[in-house]
Amino acid sequence: MTPLAAEAITDAGTGQLVLAAVLGIAVVVLLIAWAKWHPFLALITGSGVLGLVAGAAPGDTIDSFTTGLGNTVGSVGVLIALGSMIGAMLAESGGADGIVNRIVNGVSGAALPWAMAGVAALIGLPLFFEVGVVLLVPIVLLVARRTDVGLLRLGIPALAGLSVLHGLVPPHPGPLVAISSLNADLGLTLMFGLVCAIPTVIIAGPVFGNFIAKRVPLAVPALLETAGDRSGSGPAGGQDFVDRSDLANPGSPGELVDEQVRGRRNPGFWAAVLTILLPVALMMARGIAEVVLPEGDSVRTAFEVIGEPIVALLAGVFVAMWALGYRAGFDRKETSAVLGGALPPIAGILLIVAAGGGFKQVLVDAGVGNVIADAAQDANINALLLGWLVAVGIRVATGSATVATITAAGIVAPLATTLDSPTVALLALAIGSGSLFFSHVNDAGFWLVKEYFGMTVGQTIKTWSVMETIISVVGFGCVMLLSLVV
C-alpha cells in the first residue's frame, strides 16, 4: 500500500497548491489528448510541472515520484503480472473457449443475451478488457450469424460484462490502483464490487442491448477471425499472449507453435471455472473472516494469509498450470512459455500504473490532497461523489480509465483517512465507476469496439459510449445505495 505523506515537500499556500494541481493535471491531459504522448511520459512530465509550480525542491519532487512509483509497482505490479498469467493460461489452453461454448450452446433465443453477459463477466474476472474482446467478439459474430438474435443484443451484453468487471473488480489494474492508493481493504472492495457488478451488467448489458438494438440497425460484419484462430489479424492488432515464436524450439527457429501443440486437448469447463474463481473465493473468504471473526482468531489468521491478494493469485497461477496447462497437453517448456508470454503485453500497463503512482504521490506529498479534502469538508461534499466526479472529468479529458483512477485516488486520498473501512472500499468503487464514464474518440477501446463490430463513429457513440456511461452511473448509484447500509 502507498503511504500518505508524513511531511509536505513544500510550504506553498492553498492558492499556489491549487494552481500547481491544475497545471500538473492539465499538462498530463494535454500531452495525452493533444500531443498524443504515451501516458507514461505524460505522467512523469506532469509530476515535474506539479512539483515545480508548487515550489518543491527538484530533488524532493524526484524522491516523491520515485517513492510513489516503487510502492505502486510493489503493491500492484506483482498482482497485475499474476493475473495476466492466469488469463494467458485461460486463453492459450482453450479454457476460455470452453466456457463460452458450454454456456452459449446451452441456451437459445431470448436467453442468449443474458448468457453472453454472464460468460463475459465470468471470463472477464482474470482477463484484461482487450483480451476478453478478442476472445468473445468472434463468438458473438458467429452466434449472431447462426441465430435470429440481433448483433447488438448479443454484443452489448458481452461488452458490458467485460467492462464492468474491468472497472470495478480486482485484480484488474484500475481497482487495484484505487485500493492501493486509498489503503482500502481488498476483500471488502471485492465483495462490494461484485454486488454492484450484478445489477450494473444487467442494466447496461441485456436491458440496454435490447433497447438500442431496435434503434441502431446493425448488420453482422464479415468474420474477422474464427474462434480457433486468434493470431492478431483483428483490427486492434490483438493477439494471443503467446506469439508463434514463444513456443518455438530454440534449436529450430522455423518451427511454428501449431506444429508443437497439435495434440492440445480442451482442459474442460469446470477446470477453467475453478481456475478463474479460486483467487476470487480466497480473497472473498478473507474479507468475510475479517468481518465475522475476532482479531487473533486462528481461523481468521489462516484466511488472512491465504486470502492475501498475492497468495490468492499465486495459488490461481499454480492451479492454472495444472488444471489448464497440463490438462491441455502442454509440457513444462510450453507452460513456461505461456506464462512468460503473458508478461510483455502488460509492460505498458505496468509503466503507466507505476508512473501514475508517482504522480499521485507528488500530489499527496505537496499537500494538494489535504487542500482538496479540507475544501470538500468545508463545502460538505460527499467523498464518494467527489471521487466519482474527479474520475469522470479526467476520464472524459484523457480517455484513459487508468489515468482517471490514479489521479482521482491521489486527490481524494486524504479524505480516505477520515472514513471507516467499508466507506473507503466504496470510495475505490466510486472512482472506478467514474473512470468508465463516456468512452469516446480519445479512448483506444472506442476504436477497438468500432472496428470489430463494423460501426460508424456515430453508431459507436450511440451504443458503446452510452453503454459505458450507463455502467458509470448505475455503478455509482449502487455504491451510494450500499453506503446507506454499511
Side-chain angles (χ1 to χ4, degrees), residues 13-211:
T14 298
Q16 186 176 353
L17 289 177
V18 171
L19 177 63
V22 170
L23 290 179
I25 294 172
V27 166
V28 174
V29 171
L30 288 174
L31 290 179
I32 294 174
W34 177 73
K36 306 302 180 185
W37 282 28
H38 191 280
F40 176 66
L41 293 176
L43 286 163
I44 295 175
T45 305
S47 300
V49 170
L50 194 159
L52 179 66
V53 177
D60 290 339
T61 301
I62 293 172
D63 289 343
S64 176
F65 179 84
T66 54
T67 297
L69 183 147
N71 288 332
T72 302
V73 171
S75 61
V76 178
V78 176
L79 304 184
I80 294 175
L82 292 173
S84 180
M85 287 181 171
I86 294 174
M89 290 301 303
L90 188 69
E92 292 301 315
S93 67
D97 287 333
I99 291 175
V100 171
N101 292 333
R102 175 75 170 268
I103 295 179
V104 170
N105 291 339
V107 298
S108 60
L112 270 173
W114 297 86
M116 198 61 70
V119 72
L122 182 60
I123 73 168
L125 280 171
L127 294 178
F128 290 124
F129 175 79
E130 292 82 359
V131 179
V133 169
V134 172
L135 282 171
L136 271 184
V137 167
I139 302 298
V140 170
L141 298 180
L142 283 171
V143 174
R145 279 187 175 277
R146 295 173 183 174
T147 67
D148 59 354
V149 180
L151 176 59
L152 287 178
R153 287 189 64 200
L154 295 173
I156 290 296
L159 293 172
L162 292 172
S163 184
V164 170
L165 272 291
H166 179 76
L168 297 182
V169 180
H172 288 287
L176 285 177
V177 167
I179 289 167
S180 175
S181 299
L182 302 173
N183 289 340
D185 182 272
L186 190 144
L188 284 176
T189 309
L190 177 60
M191 284 192 293
F192 293 155
L194 290 174
V195 169
C196 288
I198 294 172
T200 304
V201 169
I202 290 173
I203 294 173
V207 174
F208 174 65
N210 185 60
F211 171 83

Side-chain angles (χ1 to χ4, degrees), residues 86 226 297 474:
I86 294 174
T226 66
D297 184 273
V474 174

Side-chain angles (χ1 to χ4, degrees), residues 71-417:
N71 288 332
T72 302
V73 171
S75 61
V76 178
V78 176
L79 304 184
I80 294 175
L82 292 173
S84 180
M85 287 181 171
I86 294 174
M89 290 301 303
L90 188 69
E92 292 301 315
S93 67
D97 287 333
I99 291 175
V100 171
N101 292 333
R102 175 75 170 268
I103 295 179
V104 170
N105 291 339
V107 298
S108 60
L112 270 173
W114 297 86
M116 198 61 70
V119 72
L122 182 60
I123 73 168
L125 280 171
L127 294 178
F128 290 124
F129 175 79
E130 292 82 359
V131 179
V133 169
V134 172
L135 282 171
L136 271 184
V137 167
I139 302 298
V140 170
L141 298 180
L142 283 171
V143 174
R145 279 187 175 277
R146 295 173 183 174
T147 67
D148 59 354
V149 180
L151 176 59
L152 287 178
R153 287 189 64 200
L154 295 173
I156 290 296
L159 293 172
L162 292 172
S163 184
V164 170
L165 272 291
H166 179 76
L168 297 182
V169 180
H172 288 287
L176 285 177
V177 167
I179 289 167
S180 175
S181 299
L182 302 173
N183 289 340
D185 182 272
L186 190 144
L188 284 176
T189 309
L190 177 60
M191 284 192 293
F192 293 155
L194 290 174
V195 169
C196 288
I198 294 172
T200 304
V201 169
I202 290 173
I203 294 173
V207 174
F208 174 65
N210 185 60
F211 171 83
I212 198 64
K214 300 174 182 177
R215 291 157 178 81
V216 181
L218 193 63
V220 180
L223 292 177
L224 298 167
E225 53 187 357
T226 66
D229 179 21
R230 279 180 290 273
S231 56
S233 60
Q239 55 184 311
D240 285 343
F241 280 101
V242 182
D243 206 52
R244 286 184 173 270
S245 61
D246 291 331
L247 295 180
N249 188 329
S252 306
E255 188 175 0
L256 300 181
V257 175
D258 296 1
E259 296 298 321
Q260 290 190 302
V261 296
R262 66 175 66 184
R264 180 184 301 178
R265 305 180 297 271
N266 190 309
F269 173 79
W270 290 111
V273 171
L274 170 65
T275 302
I276 292 172
L277 296 183
L278 177 63
V280 176
L282 292 177
M283 289 186 283
M284 285 188 64
R286 176 191 177 184
I288 294 172
E290 289 176 338
V291 171
V292 302
L293 297 175
E295 276 194 59
D297 184 273
S298 58
V299 176
R300 171 172 170 167
T301 301
F303 276 113
E304 286 176 339
V305 173
I306 64 175
E308 185 71 26
I310 191 171
V311 176
L313 285 168
L314 187 61
V317 172
F318 290 157
V319 170
M321 292 170 66
W322 176 80
L324 299 179
Y326 175 78
R327 288 168 60 89
F330 290 164
D331 60 25
R332 286 175 294 180
K333 187 177 77 171
E334 290 168 343
T335 299
S336 176
V338 171
L339 296 177
L343 300 179
I346 65 171
I349 296 173
L350 287 177
L351 288 174
I352 294 171
V353 168
F359 179 74
K360 186 270 306 182
Q361 196 62 39
V362 175
L363 274 170
V364 171
D365 289 349
V368 173
N370 290 325
V371 171
I372 301 296
D374 292 341
Q377 289 174 342
D378 292 341
N380 200 28
I381 298 176
N382 183 280
L384 302 179
L385 177 61
L386 178 64
W388 184 77
L389 288 175
V390 172
V392 165
I394 303 299
R395 159 68 162 180
V396 172
T398 67
S400 172
T402 303
V403 172
T405 300
I406 292 167
T407 306
I411 289 175
V412 303
L415 277 176
T417 62

